[in-house]
Amino acid sequence: MARSRQKFSNQDSSLSPTAARSREWDGPSRWTDYLGTEINSPLSSTSSKNFYNDAQSQTTTPSQSHKGLNMQWVVQLTEVAEGLMAKMYRLNQLLDYPDPINHVFSDGFWKAGVFPNHPRICVMLSKKFPEHFSKLQLERIDKIAWDSMQDHAELHLQSLEPWVQLLLDLMVFREQALRLILDLSSTVITLLPHQNSLILHAFMDLFCSFVRVNLFSEKIPRKMLLQTYNMLHAMSRNERDCDFYHRLVQFIDSYDPPLKGLQEDLNFVSPRIGEVLEAVGPIIFLSTDTRKLRNEGFLSPYHPRYPDILTNSAHPMRAQDLANVTAYREWVLFGYLVCPDELLRVTSIDIALVVLKENLVLTLFRDEYILLHEDYQLYVLPRILESKKMAKSGRTKQKEADLEYNVAKQVEKMISEVHEQAIYSCDAIHRERRILLKQEIGRMVLFFTDQPSLLAPNIQMVFSALALAQCEVIWYFQHVGIASSKSKTTRVVPVDIDPNDPTIGFLLDGMDHLCCLVRKYIAAIRGYSLSYLSSCAGRIRFLLGTPGMVALDLDASLKGLFQQIVHHLENLPKPQGENISAITCDLSDFRKDWLSILLIVTSSRSSINIRHLEKATVSTGKEGLLSEGNAAYNWSRCVDELESLLSKHGSLRKLYFYHQHLTAVFRNTMFGPEGRPQHCCAWLGIASSFPECASPIVPEEVTKIGRDAVLYVESLIESIMGGLEGLINILDSEGGFGALENQLLPEQAASYLNHASRVSIPSFKSPKGAAGFPLPGHESLPENNSSIKMLEAAMQRLTNLCSVLNDMEPICVLNHVFVLREYMRECILGNFRRRLLSVLKTDNDLQRPSVLESLIQRHVSIVHLAEQHISMDITQGIREVLLSESFSGPVSSLHLFEKPTDQHTGSATESVCNWYIENIIKDISGAGILFVPIHKCFKSTRPVGGYFADSVTDLRELQAFVRIFGGYGVDRLDRMLKEHTAALLNCIDTSLRSNRDVLESVATSLHAGDRFEREASMRQIVDLETLIGFCVQAGLALAFDRLLSEASGAVLEEGAPLIHSLLAGVVKHLPDEVPEKEEIKRIRSVANIADVVNDHDSIWVRSILEEVGGASDGSWSLLPYLFATFMTSNIWSTTAFNVDTEGFTNNIHCLARSV
C-alpha cells in the first residue's frame, strides 16, 4: 500500500484534482481508508485489482506525461466507490433500513445510537431541509428533547462524526470522479469495444460506480445527518456552523433526488456514452437471441451443424465478448437512465427495449436495488417529452424536426409500455435462457471431460458460458420476491418467479463442473497460452517492421515501449514436457507496458494515434497491431491470473445476500421430480466463496458473513440428510421393498384355499378382494407397474446421492470443514436406531420377533445397497447400534466387570424383556396364559396386545429374539425371570416361616398316621390357594426359561457350532462337588442357558436359591410337607386334563414342574 501511495503522490500534477483547499483534502491520502482493499465488483469487466496492478506502475516519463493518461487514478476511484457503498450499506444496516424520502424511521433507527433519540426534532430538521435550524424554533416543538440535546451535545457529536465524514467523502468523490470522467471522455479518441476495450471497461466501470454511489446515497438519511450534526455543533461551539456545512447543503440539495443531479452532471459525457451503448448493442442482441446462440454454436466447442469440425473458430471474438455482456447490459440501464437524451438516437430504442424488457430492478450494491421502470418513468420520460415538445415547436429544419419528433414519440411509447411487458415476460425470457445454458453447459462438461486437450483453445468460450450462467443465477435470486408497482394504477404486482425451478440446480452444477475442469487442467491452459504468446511475438515483430510502420516514424519512447513488448513475449519460458505446472511466470510488466502504449495512442494529445497504427499495419492482410496486442493481453491473463479470471466469471459469492432464498429454492427443487442428487455439491460449494463478500472497510462483516455461511451449509446438510433418510424410509416401507416380500401366513393361506374351493365358478376373476390380502407376486401385475418404477427411481436416487456425497470434497468455510461422508454415516446410523426402536412395538403392542427380524434385515439390506457407494464401513456401525441397543449390562455368568452407571443402553432389549415378563409370566392383562407342553409354547384364550400368546412365544419366535438381541438379550431375559422367581421364592419362604408350627404338626401326624390331627392341622394353613398360585407362576417361569435356553442353544449351534459342541463336551465331565468351585458354577450356568444340560430346571432353581441365600436355611426342610398339603386344595376339582395340550386347563401342571 505504501508503494501505491507514494506513486500516487508524485503523479502528474495536471491530472490530480486541484482546488483552493489543501492537497491533503483532495489528494490520494484522503482515500487510504478505502484503498489497499480487494473488493472487486464481480460484474466489473476488468477485475479491478489486477487492472490496478497493471495500471499502477505505468511509467510517467516527462515525454509521455503530456500525451498519456494515468489509469491508476481511474481504477483507484472505482475501488473508492466500492468502499463508500460498503460504508453506506453498513450505516443502513445499523439504522434498520430507514426510508428517508418518506421520513419513515423504525424504533431500531432511534435505538442504534447514531442519532439522538429525539424523533420529533430530528425528523423536523430532515423535513425542513435546507432551512437552517435557527429558523425552526425547535425548542417549542420539544423543550425536554432540546434541553437534553444541549446537555449531551458533545456525546452526540462523537457518534455522528464518522458518518458526517462519509458525507464529506461522498462530496469529494463526486468532484474527483466527475473531473476524471470528463478528462477521459475528452482525451480518449475511441471508446469502441473492438478497438479499445481495456480503457473502455475501466472508463465505464468508473462511470457506473459514480452513478451507483450517488443513487445509493439517497437511501441514507443525508439531510437528517447533516442538519442534526450542524445543530449539535452550533450548540457546543457558540452558535457557529461547522466549516463545510454550506458546501454539503449545496451538494445534498443538488442531488435530491440523485437522478436529477446525475443527469445535469453527466450531460457533458452524454454523447460518448451514447456511442459506447450503440457499439455494445450487437452483442446484447446476440446474447438475447437464444435460437441463434444455439443454432450457430456460440457456446459449443464444435460446430453444431458439422460436429466433426472441433474447435469452433467461426466467431471466437464474439463468443469472447459474450463474457462481458452482463456488464454491457448494466451500462445500458445506467447509461440511458442518467443520459436520457441518448435514447433519441435511432438505434438506441431497440437496445434499451431489449434490456428493459428483461429486468425489473437495477442492482446498486449487494442486495440494494432501485425499481428500474419507476425511475425511467419518473426521470427519463419527462426529458423525452421535453425533446418531443422542442421538436414540435420547430427550432430545427423541418425534416430533422419530424425525425426527432417521431423518435421521441416511439421512445415515449416504449417507456410507457415496457414496464407491463417486463412484469409478464421477464421470467419467461430468463427461463428460456436458463434452459439454453443448462443444455449448452451440460454438453460442454461432457465434451471437455472427454476431450480435455480442447479446453485450453476454448477457454474464452468457457468463461463466456460461466459469465452468462452467473448472470442468470444472480438475476433469478435478485427477482425472487420482488414486488413491482404498475405506475398507472399504483397497485403492487408481485412478480411470478417459480421457486421450484430445477434449472437453477443444473446451472450451479454445470458451473461447478466447468470450474473444476479448468482447475484440473490449469497447467495445460497455461502451456497453451504461453505458446500462443510466443507465436504472437513473431507476428508483432513482423508488423513493427512493415513499411507502413517504418514510415510512421514513432518517437523514441513509443518505439521503446513496442520493443519492450516484443522483448517480454520473446523471453517467455518455453513449456517443455511435464514441467508446465512448475513454470511460474509474471506477465504483469508486459500488461503494464501494453496499457501505457494504449494510453498514448488513444490520447488526442498524442501525434501518433490508434487510427495511424491500424492503417499502417492492416494492409498486410493480417490482424492489425492493436488487435494482436489486445489478444496477447487477454491470453497473458490466462498464464498468471487464471484463478482470478475464473473467480470473476464463475464465482457466485453475491448469492450470499440471497441465502434465505437459496435455502428455500434448494429445498423445493433438490428432491422434486426434476431434482438431481448430484447438484447438492454445487449448492453447498457456493458457501465457501461467501466470506469473500466481506468488505475490509467494515471489519465486523467478516465474522457475520462467516457465521451466516456456516449456518447456510448446516441447514443445507440438514435438508440433504433429511432427503437421504426419506429415500431409505421410502424403500423400507410397506409400499417399498415391503411390497415385494408379501408372504401368506399359514392361517391366511388356509382361509384363501377354503374360499377358493367354495367359489369354483369360472367367471370369478381374482380371489384377492374376497380374501382381503394381496397374494405373493402381485407386484408383477401390469397395474402395479408404476409403483415398481417408483421403487427403481428411489433406489437410483439413493445410490446416486450416496456416491455423490461420498466423492464430494470437504467444504471449507473460514475455519469450519464439513465432510459430507461423516454426516452421511451419522445420518444412516441414526435413522437405523430410530427405525429399530419404532418397529419394536406395533400400534397396540409388541412386534413379533420374527417380523421384527425380517424388518431389520430389510433395512440393513437397503443400507448395504447404499454402502456399496460409500467408502466407509457402515455395517460396523450397524453392529454397534444393535449392540448398544441389546447391551443392558455384562452377562452375569461370563463377564466379571460392573456395568458403568452412566451408560444408558439396551433400551430395546429392556422394553422387549419387560413385555414378556408382564404379559406372559405375570399375565397382567388376564388373557388366560396357558403353558402347552406338547407344542412347547404358551397359549392364551384371547389376544395379548396384537397377537395370541403362541405367536410370540413358540420356539421359532424365541430363536428370532435370540438372533436379534444375541447373548445380551438372552441373559437379560434370563435375569428378569430369575428375579421374578426369586421374588416368588421369597413369598414361599415367608409362608413357610409363618406356618412352621402347623407344618411341623402335619409332619408329626403324617409319620404317626394320625389322620384326624393331620386334617385339622392342614386346615390351619393360611392362604393355601395364593401359595399354589405363586408356585404355578414359578413353574411358568421355569417353563419359559427352558424354552428360551432351547432357542438360544439352537441359535448357538447354528451360528457357532464349535462353541456349542465344546460346551456340550465339557459339561459331561464337570465334577459334582459340594460346595462347587466358582469357575465350575459359571460353566454350568453358561451350559444351562445354551441348553446342553439335561437337568435344566434344578440347576436354574439352585442358582436362584444360592443368590437368595435360602439354600442352607433349616425351614426349607418342611417344604415337602407344604407341597403335600397342596393335594387337599379345592383347585383340583375345578380343572381338567386336556389331551391336545398335554396339560391342565388352569396351568396346574406347572405346579408339578415347580415342585
Side-chain angles (χ1 to χ4, degrees), residues 400-437:
E400 286 173 21
D402 285 351
L403 180 65
E404 201 175 307
Y405 177 77
N406 288 336
V407 173
K409 203 170 171 186
Q410 282 176 304
V411 174
E412 179 198 357
K413 184 168 182 264
M414 183 270 288
I415 292 178
S416 310
E417 291 174 1
V418 73
H419 188 193
E420 189 101 2
Q421 290 174 7
I423 287 177
Y424 296 113
S425 67
C426 67
D427 187 38
I429 293 171
H430 283 276
R431 187 182 297 116
E432 188 186 355
R433 212 171 289 163
R434 287 197 299 272
I435 290 167
L436 165 84
L437 286 168

Side-chain angles (χ1 to χ4, degrees), residues 1070-1090:
L1070 287 182
D1072 291 326
E1073 298 171 353
V1074 179
E1076 269 187 330
K1077 286 181 183 162
E1078 192 56 43
E1079 291 79 1
I1080 291 179
K1081 259 191 219 166
R1082 283 173 65 200
I1083 287 180
R1084 216 184 278 283
S1085 61
V1086 170
N1088 199 25
I1089 206 74

Side-chain angles (χ1 to χ4, degrees), residues 360-361 369 427 434 472-483 494-501 504 658 660-662 664-665 668:
L360 290 165
V361 299
Y369 60 85
D427 187 38
R434 287 197 299 272
E472 286 310 312
V473 172
I474 290 173
W475 182 93
Y476 177 86
F477 287 104
Q478 278 171 347
H479 284 72
V480 172
I482 293 286
V495 184
D496 273 338
I497 304 283
D498 178 17
N500 302 323
D501 190 342
I504 295 296
Y658 310 98
Q660 274 87 11
H661 292 317
L662 269 178
V665 173
N668 286 339

Side-chain angles (χ1 to χ4, degrees), residues 37 142 337 467 504:
T37 60
D142 190 343
L337 187 58
I504 295 296

Side-chain angles (χ1 to χ4, degrees), residues 592-829:
K592 284 165 199 161
D593 289 343
W594 181 249
L595 269 179
S596 305
I597 290 176
L598 278 182
L599 283 165
I600 293 171
V601 299
T602 55
S603 167
S604 55
R605 300 165 188 161
S606 163
S607 56
I608 302 284
N609 67 33
I610 196 166
R611 294 190 183 95
H612 299 135
L613 290 178
E614 281 294 300
K615 275 187 185 149
T617 55
V618 88
S619 58
T620 56
K622 297 187 172 67
E623 286 281 322
L625 185 60
L626 283 168
S627 313
E628 283 288 0
N630 283 333
Y633 185 98
N634 285 330
W635 277 106
S636 74
R637 296 193 63 195
C638 291
V639 176
D640 55 355
E641 286 181 357
L642 197 57
E643 202 51 60
S644 71
L645 280 174
L646 200 54
S647 160
K648 184 186 117 185
H649 296 303
S651 164
L652 289 166
R653 57 176 175 268
K654 286 182 80 175
L655 290 184
Y656 161 71
F657 301 102
Y658 310 98
H659 63 266
Q660 274 87 11
H661 292 317
L662 269 178
T663 314
V665 173
F666 172 79
R667 288 196 176 129
N668 286 339
T669 56
M670 177 68 190
F671 296 103
E674 288 285 314
R676 297 283 184 281
Q678 52 270 41
H679 296 171
C680 61
C681 302
W683 285 93
L684 285 164
I686 302 172
S688 47
S689 64
F690 284 174
E692 294 168 22
C693 292
S695 166
I697 292 169
V698 187
E700 59 269 33
E701 269 186 358
V702 180
T703 46
K704 182 188 181 303
I705 292 179
R707 196 170 58 239
D708 287 344
V710 168
L711 289 173
Y712 163 79
V713 173
E714 283 172 351
S715 77
L716 248 59
I717 289 178
E718 200 179 303
S719 299
I720 293 168
M721 294 310 148
L724 177 68
E725 228 169 83
L727 286 170
I728 292 175
N729 293 342
I730 285 172
L731 292 174
D732 187 26
S733 63
E734 290 313 310
F737 282 180
L740 310 179
E741 293 173 355
N742 271 326
Q743 292 179 350
L744 294 185
L745 296 172
E747 51 269 34
Q748 287 177 327
S751 76
Y752 173 69
L753 285 171
N754 288 341
H755 193 89
S757 60
R758 276 207 308 280
V759 185
S760 52
I761 308 160
S763 67
F764 190 79
K765 279 184 189 166
S766 158
K768 179 185 167 187
F773 34 75
L775 297 178
H778 79 107
E779 69 276 359
S780 309
L781 300 173
E783 61 264 27
N784 297 322
N785 199 5
S786 60
S787 57
I788 295 298
K789 277 194 176 150
M790 185 209 75
L791 265 186
E792 284 173 353
M795 279 170 63
Q796 185 73 41
R797 282 210 171 179
L798 177 66
T799 50
N800 270 357
L801 185 60
C802 288
S803 64
V804 163
L805 295 181
N806 180 58
D807 299 340
M808 190 170 175
E809 294 290 315
I811 292 162
C812 306
V813 181
L814 293 183
N815 52 357
H816 292 254
V817 179
F818 298 91
V819 182
L820 268 282
R821 230 178 326 188
E822 298 293 341
Y823 280 95
M824 185 161 55
R825 184 174 187 276
E826 288 308 305
C827 166
I828 291 174
L829 297 183

